């Protein structure tokens, strides 16, 4: 894209009656007067001026093949339709009289008009050219480096607004205070046939040239085919179209001592409050953990003392004849010393084995992992909970064992193992006809209803999955594995947990 950089000479306001620049390239062939191309060009320019007032932007084409002419007109976004139409009409007449090239563009302060023998709509190619100009605009006398920073802050923000805020129609203007006596006014605009990204890229390139040529001066304009940028130290646009940008510390000068002291004190106060809150939080958290957690030795002692166990309304373990304590030797004998051939599965806290008691009854033995603190907690939780729960859709706990680091839970044996063995096995899945599936669903629902509503203790399982739904010989579903379950109060329906549980 051909680009021209025009410093504002002599005046802060560019006259609206004279063109800012006319690009009439000598390398492009001229057209011959009174030819079809010339006649189409005149019709095109008339069409641009008569249609521009509707939205402030218009593009069209007239003619066929080698005589076809493409045209585009754009008015500045802060002017009304009458001024826009008049500007485009004058620019069209001016470019027709002053240029014979088959590709040309003219820029006025309030509008621009372009025509070409080749299609250029929706295309943005930045090829920037920097013409020689007289540097007669005054240089900035006060802190030029900071002036450049403030200027580019304003122009970059305006560029983003114009490109990416649809309501702006690719036009934005604004002002920023450089000092108490100096305000910088800026304006950016793109033609509306290009994309928002192309608009932003065009403006960014133009601002790079503006910074190089004019950021140390009191005004400057960069004109290109698809975008333009401009700044001055006096307002040159319609005030109703602007929005105010405030640059950090834009008023300049040194901060007063009391302001520095105030900010430092306020920062220190905020820091002290934050540190205090953090300390209080961690102390409270540590105290809560000390109150709630029991040592492994205490839990082992609590579970090992009775020969059988159940739970009171207060959650305490007491003796019971219903739950049997089984020795490690008896469990080893029942499971063939935990033979792999009797292994039914592996859980998060240990393995499950099939066992046969001396009376011939088959059982499932859950062997919790050694030296696992979570295993100890899970062990107590399952004994405490299941000892008190009696429902046909919950796996029944028959007994438990505890010796040294070994911890065992003895359950009724479920011949068909867990539900996942049927769901994920293509052969066994065929056994799950609708009647069986319906029965399993109802069984799970009844088990959960009992846990949530009908048992003495309101219990949330927190790890319900196909692996923890066991099936007996008649495919009756029974919920198992209460190691992660949580007890709620009778009227409680919500609670917070301290860690993520379940799978």
């Amino acid at each position: 894209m051909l680009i021209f950089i025009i410093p504002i000479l002599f005046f802060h306001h560019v006259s609206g009656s004279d063109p800012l620049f006319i690009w009439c390239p000598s390398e492009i062939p001229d057209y011959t007067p009174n030819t079809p191309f010339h006649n189409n060009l005149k019709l095109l320019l008339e069409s641009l001026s008569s249609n521009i007032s509707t939205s402030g932007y218009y593009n069209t084409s007239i003619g066929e093949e080698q005589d076809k002419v493409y045209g585009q007109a754009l008015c500045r976004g802060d002017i009304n339709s009458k001024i826009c139409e008049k500007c485009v009409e004058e620019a069209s007449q001016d470019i027709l009289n002053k240029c014979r090239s088959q590709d040309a563009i003219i820029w006025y302060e309030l509008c621009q008009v372009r025509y070409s023998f080749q299609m250029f709509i929706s295309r943005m190619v930045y090829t920037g050219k920097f013409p020689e100009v007289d540097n007669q605009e005054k240089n900035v006398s006060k802190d030029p480096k900071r002036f450049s920073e403030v200027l580019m802050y304003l122009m970059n923000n305006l560029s983003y607004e114009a490109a990416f805020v649809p309501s702006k129609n690719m036009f934005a203007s604004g002002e920023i205070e450089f000092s108490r006596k100096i305000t910088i006014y800026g304006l950016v605009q793109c033609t509306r046939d290009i994309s928002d990204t192309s608009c932003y890229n065009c403006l960014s390139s133009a601002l790079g040239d503006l910074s190089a040529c004019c950021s140390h001066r009191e005004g400057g304009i960069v004109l290109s085919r698809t975008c333009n940028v401009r700044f001055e130290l006096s307002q040159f646009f319609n005030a109703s179209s602007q929005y105010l940008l405030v640059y950090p510390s834009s008023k300049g000068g040194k901060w007063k001592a009391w302001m520095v002291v105030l900010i430092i004190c306020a920062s220190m106060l905020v820091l002290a409050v934050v540190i205090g809150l953090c300390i209080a939080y961690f102390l409270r958290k540590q105290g809560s953990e000390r109150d709630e957690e029991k040592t492994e030795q205490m839990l082992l002692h609590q579970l090992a003392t009775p020969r059988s166990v159940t739970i009171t309304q207060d959650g305490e373990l007491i003796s019971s004849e219903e739950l049997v304590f089984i020795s490690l030797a008896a469990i080893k004998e029942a499971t063939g010393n935990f033979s792999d051939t009797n292994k039914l599965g592996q859980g998060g806290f240990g393995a499950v084995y099939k066992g046969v008691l001396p009376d011939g009854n088959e059982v499932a033995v859950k062997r919790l992992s050694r030296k696992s603190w979570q295993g100890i907690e899970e062990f107590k939780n399952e004994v405490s909970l299941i000892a008190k729960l009696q429902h046909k859709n919950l796996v029944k706990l028959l007994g438990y064992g505890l010796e040294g680091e070994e911890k065992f839970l003895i359950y009724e044996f479920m011949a068909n193992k867990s539900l996942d063995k049927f769901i994920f096995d293509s052969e066994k899945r065929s056994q799950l006809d609708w009647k069986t599936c319906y029965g399993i669903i109802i069984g799970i629902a009844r088990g959960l209803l009992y846990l949530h509503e009908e048992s003495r203790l309101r219990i949330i399982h927190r790890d319900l999955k196909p692996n923890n739904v066991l099936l007996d010989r008649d495919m009756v579903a029974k919920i198992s594995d209460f190691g992660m379950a949580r007890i709620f109060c009778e009227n409680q329906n919500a609670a917070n947990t301290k860690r993520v549980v379940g799978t």
Side-chain angles (χ1 to χ4, degrees):
M1 178 190 314
L2 190 60
I3 180 167
F4 299 90
I5 301 173
I6 304 177
I8 303 176
L9 308 178
F10 305 111
F11 303 101
H12 288 298
H13 292 280
V14 180
S15 172
S17 59
D18 299 320
L20 296 177
F21 203 89
I22 299 177
W23 180 65
C24 191
S26 58
E27 64 270 17
I28 302 295
D30 290 349
Y31 63 82
T32 304
N34 300 319
T35 60
F37 184 92
H38 184 207
N39 295 331
N40 289 336
L41 175 59
K42 290 189 289 184
L43 291 174
L44 179 133
L45 293 175
E46 290 176 3
S47 176
L48 292 178
S49 59
S50 61
N51 289 284
I52 190 67
S53 61
T54 304
S55 64
Y57 173 80
Y58 184 69
N59 67 70
T60 187
S61 63
I62 293 179
E64 298 293 337
E65 298 180 353
Q66 70 270 16
D67 297 322
K68 190 170 186 177
V69 188
Y70 299 88
Q72 178 190 75
L74 173 70
C75 288
R76 212 170 72 183
D78 60 329
I79 65 174
N80 61 41
S81 58
K82 290 184 178 180
I83 296 176
C84 172
E85 184 177 353
K86 183 178 179 182
C87 181
V88 172
E89 186 177 349
E90 291 179 359
S92 299
Q93 189 62 42
D94 213 4
I95 197 172
L96 190 62
N97 293 335
K98 295 180 179 180
C99 189
R100 287 290 181 267
S101 174
Q102 295 183 43
D103 193 342
I105 183 170
I106 185 170
W107 291 273
Y108 274 67
E109 180 186 7
L110 302 179
C111 68
Q112 68 182 58
V113 172
R114 182 187 180 189
Y115 71 83
S116 178
F117 68 97
Q118 56 187 350
M119 172 63 178
F120 63 87
I121 307 300
S122 302
R123 297 177 181 175
M124 196 285 289
V125 180
Y126 195 91
T127 57
K129 185 176 180 181
F130 206 98
E132 292 293 333
V133 292
D134 294 330
N135 297 323
Q136 298 184 29
E137 181 69 30
K138 291 181 180 180
N139 290 334
V140 176
S141 59
K142 182 180 179 181
D143 198 352
K145 181 179 179 181
R146 184 171 169 276
F147 180 87
S148 177
E149 292 175 353
V150 175
L151 168 64
M152 298 315 295
Y153 175 84
L154 170 67
M155 301 304 285
N156 282 321
N157 277 277
L158 290 176
S159 296
Y160 186 87
E161 287 282 323
F164 298 114
V165 178
S167 61
K168 296 292 184 181
N169 281 327
M170 294 192 172
F171 172 86
S173 60
E175 65 181 62
I176 191 168
E177 188 179 273
F178 172 66
S179 66
R180 291 182 179 179
K181 295 182 179 180
I182 299 176
T183 299
I184 304 174
Y185 299 87
L187 178 150
V188 302
Q189 185 172 23
C190 294
T191 58
R192 298 177 207 165
D193 57 316
I194 60 177
S195 67
D196 51 4
T197 302
S198 295
C199 174
Y200 188 74
N201 291 339
C202 182
L203 292 173
S204 297
S205 299
L207 291 183
D209 288 334
L210 185 73
S211 176
C213 80
C214 310
S215 62
H216 59 284
R217 289 185 266 174
E218 294 183 353
I221 301 176
V222 174
L223 300 172
S224 74
R225 295 176 181 178
T226 54
C227 69
N228 61 81
V229 298
R230 178 180 177 183
F231 81 93
E232 294 186 23
L233 299 188
S234 60
Q235 187 170 308
F236 60 91
F237 48 76
N238 186 351
S240 64
S241 68
Q242 73 182 43
Y243 69 96
L244 185 63
L245 288 173
V246 180
Y247 187 75
S249 307
S250 60
K251 292 187 177 181
K254 296 182 179 179
W255 286 15
K256 295 182 179 180
W258 67 269
M259 297 175 64
V260 176
V261 173
L262 179 62
I263 291 176
I264 292 175
C265 291
S267 301
M268 293 179 64
L269 178 61
V270 172
L271 181 61
V273 170
V274 171
I275 292 175
L277 291 174
C278 290
I279 292 173
Y281 171 77
F282 286 114
L283 289 176
R284 182 176 179 182
K285 182 178 180 181
Q286 290 176 1
S288 176
E289 289 177 352
R290 283 195 299 268
D291 291 339
E292 293 181 3
E293 293 183 357
K294 295 183 178 180
T295 65
E296 181 174 357
Q297 288 76 14
M298 292 174 63
L299 287 172
L300 288 172
H301 177 75
Q302 184 179 21
L303 288 168
T305 300
R307 299 293 296 180
S308 55
V309 63
T310 188
I311 187 171
T312 67
Q313 289 285 3
D314 298 325
E316 298 296 330
L317 296 173
I318 61 172
S319 298
S320 171
E321 297 302 327
E322 297 179 0
L323 199 60
V324 179
F325 180 88
I326 302 177
S327 67
L328 176 59
I331 293 174
K332 284 185 175 182
E333 183 179 352
T335 60
N337 198 20
F338 304 109
S339 171
D340 287 342
T341 58
N342 289 325
K343 191 173 182 178
L344 300 176
Q346 181 73 35
F349 296 110
V352 180
Y353 296 86
K354 178 181 178 181
V356 181
L357 298 179
D359 60 5
N361 287 328
E362 293 179 324
V363 295
V365 179
K366 183 176 182 180
R367 185 187 191 187
L368 274 69
S369 302
R370 295 186 178 187
K371 298 181 180 179
S372 169
W373 174 244
Q374 286 184 317
I376 279 284
E377 287 287 6
E378 182 198 46
F379 183 66
K380 181 197 172 185
N381 209 29
E382 290 213 38
V383 172
S384 303
L385 287 176
I386 306 179
K388 201 63 180 178
L389 299 177
Q390 299 293 330
H391 192 274
K392 68 177 182 178
N393 292 113
L394 302 181
V395 175
K396 185 177 182 181
L397 180 64
L398 304 176
Y400 71 99
L402 183 64
E403 188 171 322
E405 295 179 348
E406 295 282 3
K407 301 172 286 293
F408 310 95
L409 295 170
I410 315 301
Y411 293 97
E412 62 177 317
F413 178 72
M414 306 298 286
N416 283 312
K417 300 182 181 180
S418 57
L419 179 59
D420 64 304
K421 297 292 191 297
F422 287 83
I423 294 177
F424 303 113
D425 188 308
S426 57
E427 294 183 3
K428 290 187 176 182
R429 193 185 306 143
S430 61
Q431 300 178 34
L432 297 178
D433 55 23
W434 171 241
K435 181 178 180 180
T436 303
C437 289
Y438 180 77
I440 292 173
I441 294 170
I442 294 299
I444 296 172
R446 286 173 176 168
L448 288 176
L449 180 63
Y450 172 78
L451 293 174
H452 294 175
E453 303 290 343
E454 297 175 355
S455 65
R456 291 188 186 180
L457 302 171
R458 179 170 292 182
I459 296 169
I460 304 301
H461 190 282
R462 301 204 297 178
D463 195 24
L464 187 61
K465 55 187 177 181
N467 310 52
N468 294 334
V469 176
L470 304 185
L471 303 171
D472 66 9
R473 297 183 185 279
D474 299 321
M475 297 296 283
V476 175
K478 299 193 178 188
I479 299 172
S480 69
D481 201 343
F482 287 79
M484 295 181 184
R486 178 160 180 175
I487 301 175
F488 278 49
C489 298
E490 184 177 353
N491 297 321
Q492 185 181 3
N493 56 23
N496 294 322
T497 60
K498 295 182 178 179
R499 61 189 176 93
V500 177
V501 297
T503 54

